[in-house]
């Protein structure tokens, strides 16, 4: 380029660039011809210069625009700050304001603060003013969020409804929203489906309002703004704290106090029995009504936030649920006296009844702890039922008395066992499951002879519960056999067994136990009962009736009994009858029909024989020696088995 040489000169940077540009301009002004390569280079140079010019123009425009945007943000921020700080000077609660639009305006201002913070964070500030503006926006947002947290707590607390343990009202979804409410922060489509989705169809009809329905809408609006601004944990903590306290209050209303396992194990049975009844009622009410309603409330307030709703529900209800389960666990691991069996069965069935409810409410990993604890308590109660049933049989076998049971009546043990078995029929499904697992709880019981008949096997009557009930009955019969041996009088031994076996058979035949024991078992007991009746009559009356017979005492060649023999027999009969009368009027048959039947059968055995004997005595014995007529004896027999001893000594009815 001729005179435009500057290579190696001291020019640097822009000066060198300017010198090169001047050189090019000078060369182009001399009208020199340019080669194709030179023209190509010059075209590239023009393109570079054009691009640089455009970029510089855009930078200038952007700077001007950012300045305008910052001014706009600052102006909006000042308006928002005025609204937010205006309520900081006022000690009253915003959601208590007499002006419905105040709450909505505040939420809008808080939402604007969050939006402005986001816009400022997207800008790259290079001056102090920009940084100060950003800090100011953050301070306003933090002030707004702190106030919303306080308002959230206040609104949730004041709008919570009192628990009413004896009433359940189904939830009614509001179709309209009051003017001035924060409806813009709710999803109408969600509102229509949350109820059934949150708790399932089974629990849906049990839901009640735990918080005023209008307040729920406001709470959800506050939660939405706080979550959007990143203050979700503050909102969740406020909610969990208040609802945890509310559920604890609910347990108090249901008369469930906090107790350790040690406290439960130290309780006497009367107190514990009352606690179990209250616990059963509380479990039904708490799970199906209050937990379902609590889950629904969480979904209403936090339903847009995915698993947050479930997490809040679990966190707020976990302590109360574990408190209830703690009592169930204490009952399961405690001692197993027989009187606890039906109460533990009640608890087992209550827990089992709500198992699917708990699985629905405490779903996913977040609910695992409560869910697994609930399943563990159910299993523990089931094992306790089996252990207690085993103790029941052992207690029957070990029951002893130092003395024979007075009057040969129905022993207390017989009544207790049979009535207890009758009570247990209410828990048939549970017992068939629990007693059907594993081995027989009475493997060494004398019930091996009580195998089911073919008809019973065919009809499927010999269920696990039937097998174990039969074992218990057989243990009872063995115990009664031993108790009968305490009587010295063989007649009273059979009388005692007759009474008790009849009671057992009647108790089974006339109740739900008949479906469990089966007709074959009842038939065998009646046969056994009839045998004891026969043995009783033989031991009591056969010997006395022999006094009235002619057989074996006739004189050779004579068709009549001698007068002396008649007199002796009459005296012996009177003495024996009076002794039996005195003894057996103290014996007792509680069943009136059995008592009448026994009197009639005894009368049929004794009176006809005595009537014939009485006729013979009238012809050969003085009237002074005949103390009783047949009608007298028939009347005396009606005094038997009343449990009130009477005497015929020194009595002459003729």
């Amino acid at each position: 380029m001729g005179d435009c040489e500057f290579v190696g000169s001291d020019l640097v940077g822009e000066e060198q660039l300017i010198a090169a540009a001047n050189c090019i301009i000078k060369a182009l002004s001399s009208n020199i011809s340019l080669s194709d390569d030179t023209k190509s280079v010059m075209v590239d140079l023009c393109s570079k210069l054009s691009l640089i010019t455009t970029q510089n123009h855009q930078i200038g425009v952007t700077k001007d625009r950012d300045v305008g945007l910052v001014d706009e943000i600052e102006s909006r921020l000042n308006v928002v700050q005025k609204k937010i700080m205006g309520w900081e000077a006022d000690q009253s609660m915003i959601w208590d304001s007499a002006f419905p639009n105040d709450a909505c305006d505040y939420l809008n201002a808080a939402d604007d603060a969050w939006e402005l913070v986001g816009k400022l964070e997207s800008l790259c500030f290079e001056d102090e003013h920009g940084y100060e503006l950003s800090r100011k926006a953050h301070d306003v947002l933090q002030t707004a969020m702190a106030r919303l947290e306080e308002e959230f707590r206040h609104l949730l607390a004041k709008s919570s409804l009192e628990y009413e343990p004896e009433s359940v009202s189904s939830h009614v979804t509001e179709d309209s929203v009051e003017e001035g409410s924060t409806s813009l922060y709710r999803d109408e489509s969600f509102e229509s489906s949350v109820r059934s989705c949150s708790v399932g169809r089974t629990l849906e009809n049990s839901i009640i309002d735990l918080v005023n329905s209008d307040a729920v809408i406001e709470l959800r609006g506050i939660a939405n703004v706080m979550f959007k601004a990143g203050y979700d944990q503050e909102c969740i903590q406020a909610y969990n704290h208040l609802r945890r306290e509310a559920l604890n209050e609910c347990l108090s209303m249901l008369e469930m106090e906090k107790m350790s396992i040690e406290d439960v194990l130290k309780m006497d049975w009367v107190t514990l029995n009352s606690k179990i009844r209250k616990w059963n009622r509380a479990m039904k009410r708490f799970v199906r009504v209050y937990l379902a309603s609590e889950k629904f409330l969480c979904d209403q307030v936090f339903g847009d936030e995915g698993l947050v709703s479930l997490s809040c529900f679990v966190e707020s209800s976990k302590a109360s649920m574990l408190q209830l389960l703690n009592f169930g666990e204490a009952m399961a691991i405690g001692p197993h006296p027989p009187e606890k069996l039906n109460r533990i069965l009640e608890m087992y069935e209550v827990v089992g009844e709500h198992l699917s409810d708990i699985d629905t409410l405490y779903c996913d990993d977040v609910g695992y702890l409560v869910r697994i604890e609930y399943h563990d308590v159910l299993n523990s109660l089931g094992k306790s039922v089996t252990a207690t049933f085993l103790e029941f049989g052992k207690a029957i076998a070990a029951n002893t008395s130092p003395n024979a049971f007075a009057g040969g009546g129905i022993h207390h043990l017989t009544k207790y066992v049979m009535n207890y078995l009758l009570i247990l029929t209410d828990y048939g499904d549970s017992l068939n499951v629990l007693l059907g697992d594993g081995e027989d709880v009475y493997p060494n019981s004398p019930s091996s002879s009580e195998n089911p008949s073919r008809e019973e096997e065919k009809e499927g009557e010999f269920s696990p519960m039937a097998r174990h009930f039969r074992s218990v009955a057989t243990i009872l019969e063995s115990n009664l056999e031993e108790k009968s041996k305490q009587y010295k009088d063989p007649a009273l031994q059979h009388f005692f067994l007759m009474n008790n076996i009849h009671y057992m058979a009647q108790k089974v035949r006339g109740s739900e136990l008949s479906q469990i024991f089966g007709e074959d078992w009842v038939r065998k007991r009646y046969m056994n009962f009839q045998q004891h009746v026969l043995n009783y009559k033989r031991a009591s009356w056969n010997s006395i009736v022999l006094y009235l017979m002619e057989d074996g005492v006739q004189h050779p060649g004579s068709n009549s009994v001698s007068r002396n023999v008649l007199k002796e027999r009459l005296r012996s009969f009177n003495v024996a009858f009076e002794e039996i009368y005195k003894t057996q009027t103290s014996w007792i048959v509680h069943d009136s029909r059995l008592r009448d039947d026994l009197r009639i059968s005894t009368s049929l055995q004794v009176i006809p024989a005595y009537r014939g004997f009485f006729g013979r005595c009238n012809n050969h014995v003085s009237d002074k020696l005949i103390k009783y007529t047949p009608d007298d004896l028939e009347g005396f027999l009606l005094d038997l088995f009343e449990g009130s001893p009477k005497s015929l000594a020194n009595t002459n009815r003729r």
Side-chain angles (χ1 to χ4, degrees), residues 160-208:
S160 295
L161 302 176
E162 290 188 5
Y163 292 105
E164 299 178 5
E166 301 304 324
S167 66
V168 179
S169 58
S170 60
H171 177 83
V172 178
T173 303
E174 298 293 336
D175 294 325
S176 59
V177 181
E178 285 189 22
E179 182 182 356
S181 73
T182 54
S183 60
L184 66 160
Y185 296 103
R186 59 186 282 220
D187 180 359
E188 297 293 343
S189 62
F190 172 81
E191 196 72 30
S192 63
S193 61
V194 62
R195 185 175 167 203
S196 60
C197 293
S198 63
V199 297
R201 295 293 179 184
T202 304
L203 298 173
E204 181 181 352
N205 293 330
S206 301
I207 292 173
I208 61 174

Short mmCIF file of all heavy atoms in Angstrom, two decimals, residues 160-208:
data_model
loop_
_atom_site.label_atom_id
_atom_site.label_comp_id
_atom_site.label_asym_id
_atom_site.label_seq_id
_atom_site.Cartn_x
_atom_site.Cartn_y
_atom_site.Cartn_z
N SER A 160 -61.34 -23.42 62.92
CA SER A 160 -61.49 -24.84 63.23
C SER A 160 -62.78 -25.05 64.00
O SER A 160 -63.09 -24.31 64.94
CB SER A 160 -60.29 -25.33 64.05
OG SER A 160 -59.10 -25.27 63.28
N LEU A 161 -63.52 -26.07 63.60
CA LEU A 161 -64.81 -26.36 64.23
C LEU A 161 -64.63 -27.32 65.39
O LEU A 161 -63.74 -28.17 65.38
CB LEU A 161 -65.77 -26.96 63.19
CG LEU A 161 -66.02 -26.10 61.95
CD1 LEU A 161 -66.91 -26.84 60.96
CD2 LEU A 161 -66.66 -24.77 62.35
N GLU A 162 -65.47 -27.19 66.40
CA GLU A 162 -65.38 -28.07 67.57
C GLU A 162 -65.78 -29.49 67.18
O GLU A 162 -66.69 -29.70 66.39
CB GLU A 162 -66.28 -27.56 68.69
CG GLU A 162 -65.80 -26.26 69.33
CD GLU A 162 -66.62 -25.91 70.55
OE1 GLU A 162 -67.48 -26.73 70.93
OE2 GLU A 162 -66.41 -24.83 71.11
N TYR A 163 -65.08 -30.45 67.80
CA TYR A 163 -65.40 -31.85 67.55
C TYR A 163 -66.70 -32.21 68.26
O TYR A 163 -66.93 -31.83 69.40
CB TYR A 163 -64.28 -32.75 68.06
CG TYR A 163 -63.00 -32.62 67.28
CD1 TYR A 163 -61.91 -31.93 67.81
CD2 TYR A 163 -62.89 -33.18 66.02
CE1 TYR A 163 -60.74 -31.80 67.09
CE2 TYR A 163 -61.72 -33.05 65.30
CZ TYR A 163 -60.65 -32.37 65.83
OH TYR A 163 -59.49 -32.25 65.11
N GLU A 164 -67.53 -32.96 67.56
CA GLU A 164 -68.79 -33.43 68.12
C GLU A 164 -68.81 -34.94 67.99
O GLU A 164 -69.24 -35.48 66.96
CB GLU A 164 -69.97 -32.80 67.40
CG GLU A 164 -70.00 -31.27 67.50
CD GLU A 164 -71.16 -30.67 66.73
OE1 GLU A 164 -71.98 -31.45 66.21
OE2 GLU A 164 -71.24 -29.44 66.64
N PRO A 165 -68.35 -35.67 69.03
CA PRO A 165 -68.19 -37.12 68.92
C PRO A 165 -69.45 -37.88 68.56
O PRO A 165 -69.39 -38.95 67.99
CB PRO A 165 -67.70 -37.51 70.33
CG PRO A 165 -67.09 -36.27 70.88
CD PRO A 165 -67.89 -35.15 70.31
N GLU A 166 -70.61 -37.36 68.88
CA GLU A 166 -71.83 -38.14 68.67
C GLU A 166 -72.57 -37.79 67.39
O GLU A 166 -73.66 -38.28 67.14
CB GLU A 166 -72.79 -37.93 69.86
CG GLU A 166 -72.18 -38.35 71.19
CD GLU A 166 -71.71 -39.78 71.18
OE1 GLU A 166 -72.37 -40.63 70.54
OE2 GLU A 166 -70.67 -40.07 71.80
N SER A 167 -72.00 -36.90 66.57
CA SER A 167 -72.72 -36.54 65.35
C SER A 167 -71.80 -36.59 64.16
O SER A 167 -70.63 -36.26 64.25
CB SER A 167 -73.32 -35.14 65.48
OG SER A 167 -72.29 -34.18 65.56
N VAL A 168 -72.32 -37.03 63.05
CA VAL A 168 -71.57 -37.06 61.79
C VAL A 168 -72.43 -36.41 60.73
O VAL A 168 -73.54 -36.84 60.47
CB VAL A 168 -71.24 -38.50 61.37
CG1 VAL A 168 -70.47 -38.50 60.06
CG2 VAL A 168 -70.44 -39.21 62.45
N SER A 169 -71.93 -35.35 60.14
CA SER A 169 -72.66 -34.73 59.04
C SER A 169 -71.83 -34.83 57.79
O SER A 169 -70.65 -34.53 57.80
CB SER A 169 -72.94 -33.26 59.37
OG SER A 169 -71.73 -32.57 59.60
N SER A 170 -72.44 -35.26 56.72
CA SER A 170 -71.69 -35.40 55.47
C SER A 170 -71.32 -34.03 54.93
O SER A 170 -72.03 -33.05 55.11
CB SER A 170 -72.51 -36.17 54.44
OG SER A 170 -73.70 -35.48 54.17
N HIS A 171 -70.18 -33.99 54.27
CA HIS A 171 -69.67 -32.73 53.73
C HIS A 171 -70.48 -32.31 52.50
O HIS A 171 -70.86 -33.14 51.69
CB HIS A 171 -68.20 -32.90 53.35
CG HIS A 171 -67.62 -31.68 52.72
ND1 HIS A 171 -67.15 -30.62 53.45
CD2 HIS A 171 -67.45 -31.34 51.41
CE1 HIS A 171 -66.69 -29.70 52.64
NE2 HIS A 171 -66.87 -30.10 51.40
N VAL A 172 -70.76 -31.04 52.40
CA VAL A 172 -71.47 -30.50 51.24
C VAL A 172 -70.54 -29.52 50.55
O VAL A 172 -70.09 -28.55 51.15
CB VAL A 172 -72.78 -29.79 51.65
CG1 VAL A 172 -73.45 -29.21 50.43
CG2 VAL A 172 -73.69 -30.76 52.37
N THR A 173 -70.24 -29.76 49.29
CA THR A 173 -69.36 -28.88 48.52
C THR A 173 -70.09 -27.59 48.18
O THR A 173 -71.23 -27.60 47.73
CB THR A 173 -68.91 -29.56 47.22
OG1 THR A 173 -68.28 -30.78 47.55
CG2 THR A 173 -67.95 -28.67 46.46
N GLU A 174 -69.43 -26.46 48.44
CA GLU A 174 -70.02 -25.17 48.13
C GLU A 174 -69.98 -24.92 46.63
O GLU A 174 -68.96 -25.10 45.98
CB GLU A 174 -69.25 -24.06 48.86
CG GLU A 174 -69.29 -24.21 50.39
CD GLU A 174 -70.67 -23.98 50.94
OE1 GLU A 174 -71.46 -23.29 50.27
OE2 GLU A 174 -70.97 -24.49 52.02
N ASP A 175 -71.10 -24.50 46.06
CA ASP A 175 -71.16 -24.23 44.63
C ASP A 175 -70.86 -22.76 44.33
O ASP A 175 -70.62 -22.39 43.19
CB ASP A 175 -72.55 -24.56 44.09
CG ASP A 175 -72.82 -26.06 44.15
OD1 ASP A 175 -71.86 -26.82 43.97
OD2 ASP A 175 -73.98 -26.43 44.39
N SER A 176 -70.92 -21.93 45.35
CA SER A 176 -70.70 -20.50 45.11
C SER A 176 -69.62 -19.99 46.03
O SER A 176 -69.34 -20.56 47.06
CB SER A 176 -72.00 -19.72 45.36
OG SER A 176 -72.45 -19.93 46.69
N VAL A 177 -69.03 -18.86 45.65
CA VAL A 177 -67.96 -18.25 46.42
C VAL A 177 -68.36 -16.83 46.74
O VAL A 177 -68.84 -16.10 45.87
CB VAL A 177 -66.64 -18.27 45.63
CG1 VAL A 177 -65.53 -17.65 46.46
CG2 VAL A 177 -66.29 -19.68 45.21
N GLU A 178 -68.16 -16.44 47.99
CA GLU A 178 -68.54 -15.09 48.38
C GLU A 178 -67.71 -14.04 47.64
O GLU A 178 -66.55 -14.26 47.31
CB GLU A 178 -68.32 -14.91 49.90
CG GLU A 178 -69.37 -15.59 50.73
CD GLU A 178 -69.22 -15.20 52.19
OE1 GLU A 178 -68.61 -14.13 52.44
OE2 GLU A 178 -69.70 -15.93 53.06
N GLU A 179 -68.32 -12.91 47.42
CA GLU A 179 -67.61 -11.81 46.78
C GLU A 179 -66.46 -11.37 47.68
O GLU A 179 -66.62 -11.26 48.88
CB GLU A 179 -68.58 -10.64 46.56
CG GLU A 179 -67.92 -9.46 45.86
CD GLU A 179 -68.89 -8.31 45.72
OE1 GLU A 179 -70.07 -8.46 46.10
OE2 GLU A 179 -68.46 -7.25 45.25
N GLY A 180 -65.30 -11.15 47.08
CA GLY A 180 -64.15 -10.72 47.85
C GLY A 180 -63.29 -11.86 48.33
O GLY A 180 -62.26 -11.64 48.94
N SER A 181 -63.69 -13.12 48.10
CA SER A 181 -62.87 -14.25 48.52
C SER A 181 -61.72 -14.42 47.55
O SER A 181 -61.71 -13.84 46.47
CB SER A 181 -63.70 -15.54 48.56
OG SER A 181 -63.98 -15.98 47.25
N THR A 182 -60.75 -15.24 47.95
CA THR A 182 -59.56 -15.43 47.12
C THR A 182 -59.76 -16.57 46.14
O THR A 182 -58.94 -17.46 46.00
CB THR A 182 -58.35 -15.72 48.02
OG1 THR A 182 -58.66 -16.83 48.86
CG2 THR A 182 -58.02 -14.53 48.87
N SER A 183 -60.89 -16.57 45.45
CA SER A 183 -61.22 -17.67 44.54
C SER A 183 -60.27 -17.78 43.37
O SER A 183 -60.17 -18.81 42.74
CB SER A 183 -62.65 -17.49 44.01
OG SER A 183 -62.77 -16.26 43.32
N LEU A 184 -59.56 -16.70 43.06
CA LEU A 184 -58.63 -16.77 41.93
C LEU A 184 -57.47 -17.69 42.23
O LEU A 184 -56.71 -18.04 41.34
CB LEU A 184 -58.10 -15.38 41.60
CG LEU A 184 -57.19 -14.68 42.63
CD1 LEU A 184 -56.39 -13.59 41.90
CD2 LEU A 184 -58.03 -14.07 43.73
N TYR A 185 -57.30 -18.10 43.50
CA TYR A 185 -56.19 -18.98 43.85
C TYR A 185 -56.65 -20.43 44.01
O TYR A 185 -55.96 -21.24 44.58
CB TYR A 185 -55.53 -18.51 45.15
CG TYR A 185 -54.90 -17.15 44.99
CD1 TYR A 185 -55.52 -16.02 45.50
CD2 TYR A 185 -53.71 -17.01 44.29
CE1 TYR A 185 -54.95 -14.77 45.33
CE2 TYR A 185 -53.14 -15.76 44.11
CZ TYR A 185 -53.76 -14.64 44.64
OH TYR A 185 -53.19 -13.41 44.47
N ARG A 186 -57.83 -20.76 43.55
CA ARG A 186 -58.31 -22.13 43.66
C ARG A 186 -58.66 -22.67 42.29
O ARG A 186 -58.98 -21.94 41.37
CB ARG A 186 -59.54 -22.22 44.57
CG ARG A 186 -60.71 -21.40 44.13
CD ARG A 186 -61.82 -21.43 45.17
NE ARG A 186 -62.57 -22.66 45.11
CZ ARG A 186 -63.89 -22.72 45.24
NH1 ARG A 186 -64.58 -21.62 45.41
NH2 ARG A 186 -64.52 -23.86 45.21
N ASP A 187 -58.60 -24.00 42.19
CA ASP A 187 -58.89 -24.69 40.93
C ASP A 187 -60.26 -25.34 41.05
O ASP A 187 -60.44 -26.27 41.82
CB ASP A 187 -57.81 -25.76 40.69
CG ASP A 187 -58.03 -26.52 39.39
OD1 ASP A 187 -59.02 -26.22 38.71
OD2 ASP A 187 -57.22 -27.41 39.09
N GLU A 188 -61.23 -24.84 40.33
CA GLU A 188 -62.60 -25.33 40.46
C GLU A 188 -62.72 -26.80 40.10
O GLU A 188 -63.48 -27.55 40.70
CB GLU A 188 -63.52 -24.49 39.56
CG GLU A 188 -63.60 -23.03 39.96
CD GLU A 188 -64.27 -22.82 41.31
OE1 GLU A 188 -64.95 -23.75 41.77
OE2 GLU A 188 -64.11 -21.75 41.89
N SER A 189 -61.99 -27.25 39.07
CA SER A 189 -62.09 -28.65 38.67
C SER A 189 -61.54 -29.56 39.75
O SER A 189 -62.03 -30.66 39.98
CB SER A 189 -61.33 -28.89 37.36
OG SER A 189 -59.95 -28.60 37.53
N PHE A 190 -60.51 -29.09 40.45
CA PHE A 190 -59.95 -29.88 41.55
C PHE A 190 -60.95 -30.01 42.68
O PHE A 190 -61.12 -31.07 43.27
CB PHE A 190 -58.68 -29.19 42.06
CG PHE A 190 -58.12 -29.82 43.31
CD1 PHE A 190 -57.34 -30.95 43.23
CD2 PHE A 190 -58.39 -29.27 44.55
CE1 PHE A 190 -56.84 -31.53 44.38
CE2 PHE A 190 -57.90 -29.85 45.69
CZ PHE A 190 -57.11 -30.98 45.60
N GLU A 191 -61.64 -28.93 42.97
CA GLU A 191 -62.60 -28.93 44.07
C GLU A 191 -63.67 -29.99 43.90
O GLU A 191 -64.14 -30.58 44.86
CB GLU A 191 -63.25 -27.55 44.17
CG GLU A 191 -63.97 -27.29 45.48
CD GLU A 191 -62.99 -27.10 46.62
OE1 GLU A 191 -61.87 -26.62 46.38
OE2 GLU A 191 -63.37 -27.45 47.75
N SER A 192 -64.05 -30.28 42.68
CA SER A 192 -65.14 -31.22 42.43
C SER A 192 -64.73 -32.67 42.58
O SER A 192 -65.58 -33.54 42.73
CB SER A 192 -65.70 -31.00 41.01
OG SER A 192 -64.70 -31.27 40.05
N SER A 193 -63.43 -32.94 42.54
CA SER A 193 -62.99 -34.34 42.58
C SER A 193 -62.16 -34.69 43.80
O SER A 193 -61.94 -35.86 44.09
CB SER A 193 -62.16 -34.67 41.33
OG SER A 193 -61.01 -33.85 41.29
N VAL A 194 -61.69 -33.68 44.55
CA VAL A 194 -60.74 -33.95 45.62
C VAL A 194 -61.33 -34.85 46.71
O VAL A 194 -60.64 -35.66 47.30
CB VAL A 194 -60.25 -32.62 46.25
CG1 VAL A 194 -61.40 -31.84 46.87
CG2 VAL A 194 -59.17 -32.89 47.30
N ARG A 195 -62.63 -34.72 46.95
CA ARG A 195 -63.22 -35.42 48.07
C ARG A 195 -63.14 -36.93 47.94
O ARG A 195 -62.66 -37.63 48.82
CB ARG A 195 -64.68 -34.99 48.22
CG ARG A 195 -65.36 -35.57 49.43
CD ARG A 195 -66.76 -35.00 49.55
NE ARG A 195 -67.53 -35.74 50.49
CZ ARG A 195 -68.85 -35.77 50.48
NH1 ARG A 195 -69.49 -35.10 49.57
NH2 ARG A 195 -69.51 -36.46 51.37
N SER A 196 -63.57 -37.45 46.80
CA SER A 196 -63.55 -38.90 46.61
C SER A 196 -62.15 -39.42 46.37
O SER A 196 -61.81 -40.52 46.78
CB SER A 196 -64.47 -39.30 45.46
OG SER A 196 -64.04 -38.70 44.25
N CYS A 197 -61.32 -38.62 45.72
CA CYS A 197 -59.96 -39.08 45.41
C CYS A 197 -59.08 -39.10 46.65
O CYS A 197 -58.18 -39.92 46.76
CB CYS A 197 -59.32 -38.19 44.35
SG CYS A 197 -60.12 -38.32 42.73
N SER A 198 -59.32 -38.20 47.59
CA SER A 198 -58.42 -38.07 48.72
C SER A 198 -58.56 -39.19 49.72
O SER A 198 -57.59 -39.61 50.32
CB SER A 198 -58.65 -36.72 49.42
OG SER A 198 -59.97 -36.66 49.95
N VAL A 199 -59.77 -39.69 49.95
CA VAL A 199 -59.98 -40.69 50.98
C VAL A 199 -60.58 -41.98 50.46
O VAL A 199 -60.71 -42.95 51.20
CB VAL A 199 -60.88 -40.14 52.11
CG1 VAL A 199 -60.21 -38.97 52.79
CG2 VAL A 199 -62.25 -39.73 51.57
N GLY A 200 -60.98 -42.04 49.21
CA GLY A 200 -61.59 -43.24 48.67
C GLY A 200 -63.08 -43.26 48.89
O GLY A 200 -63.63 -42.55 49.73
N ARG A 201 -63.75 -44.12 48.14
CA ARG A 201 -65.21 -44.18 48.20
C ARG A 201 -65.72 -44.67 49.54
O ARG A 201 -66.77 -44.27 50.01
CB ARG A 201 -65.71 -45.12 47.09
CG ARG A 201 -65.42 -44.59 45.68
CD ARG A 201 -66.22 -43.33 45.39
NE ARG A 201 -65.94 -42.81 44.06
CZ ARG A 201 -66.44 -41.69 43.59
NH1 ARG A 201 -67.23 -40.96 44.36
NH2 ARG A 201 -66.15 -41.28 42.36
N THR A 202 -64.97 -45.56 50.21
CA THR A 202 -65.43 -46.13 51.47
C THR A 202 -65.59 -45.07 52.54
O THR A 202 -66.55 -45.07 53.32
CB THR A 202 -64.45 -47.20 51.96
OG1 THR A 202 -64.29 -48.19 50.94
CG2 THR A 202 -64.96 -47.86 53.24
N LEU A 203 -64.65 -44.14 52.60
CA LEU A 203 -64.64 -43.13 53.65
C LEU A 203 -65.36 -41.85 53.27
O LEU A 203 -65.57 -40.98 54.11
CB LEU A 203 -63.19 -42.80 54.02
CG LEU A 203 -62.36 -43.95 54.58
CD1 LEU A 203 -60.91 -43.53 54.72
CD2 LEU A 203 -62.91 -44.41 55.91
N GLU A 204 -65.71 -41.72 52.00
CA GLU A 204 -66.24 -40.45 51.50
C GLU A 204 -67.45 -39.97 52.28
O GLU A 204 -67.56 -38.79 52.62
CB GLU A 204 -66.59 -40.60 50.02
CG GLU A 204 -67.12 -39.32 49.39
CD GLU A 204 -67.47 -39.53 47.92
OE1 GLU A 204 -67.16 -40.59 47.37
OE2 GLU A 204 -68.08 -38.61 47.35
N ASN A 205 -68.36 -40.88 52.61
CA ASN A 205 -69.60 -40.47 53.27
C ASN A 205 -69.41 -40.17 54.76
O ASN A 205 -70.35 -39.76 55.43
CB ASN A 205 -70.66 -41.57 53.10
CG ASN A 205 -71.09 -41.71 51.66
OD1 ASN A 205 -71.09 -40.74 50.90
ND2 ASN A 205 -71.47 -42.92 51.26
N SER A 206 -68.21 -40.43 55.28
CA SER A 206 -67.95 -40.17 56.69
C SER A 206 -67.34 -38.80 56.94
O SER A 206 -67.13 -38.41 58.08
CB SER A 206 -67.00 -41.25 57.25
OG SER A 206 -67.56 -42.54 57.11
N ILE A 207 -67.04 -38.09 55.89
CA ILE A 207 -66.32 -36.82 56.03
C ILE A 207 -67.19 -35.75 56.68
O ILE A 207 -68.36 -35.60 56.35
CB ILE A 207 -65.83 -36.34 54.65
CG1 ILE A 207 -64.74 -37.28 54.12
CG2 ILE A 207 -65.29 -34.91 54.72
CD1 ILE A 207 -64.32 -36.96 52.71
N ILE A 208 -66.59 -35.04 57.62
CA ILE A 208 -67.25 -33.88 58.23
C ILE A 208 -66.34 -32.67 58.05
O ILE A 208 -65.16 -32.79 57.71
CB ILE A 208 -67.52 -34.10 59.73
CG1 ILE A 208 -66.20 -34.33 60.49
CG2 ILE A 208 -68.48 -35.27 59.94
CD1 ILE A 208 -66.37 -34.40 61.99
#
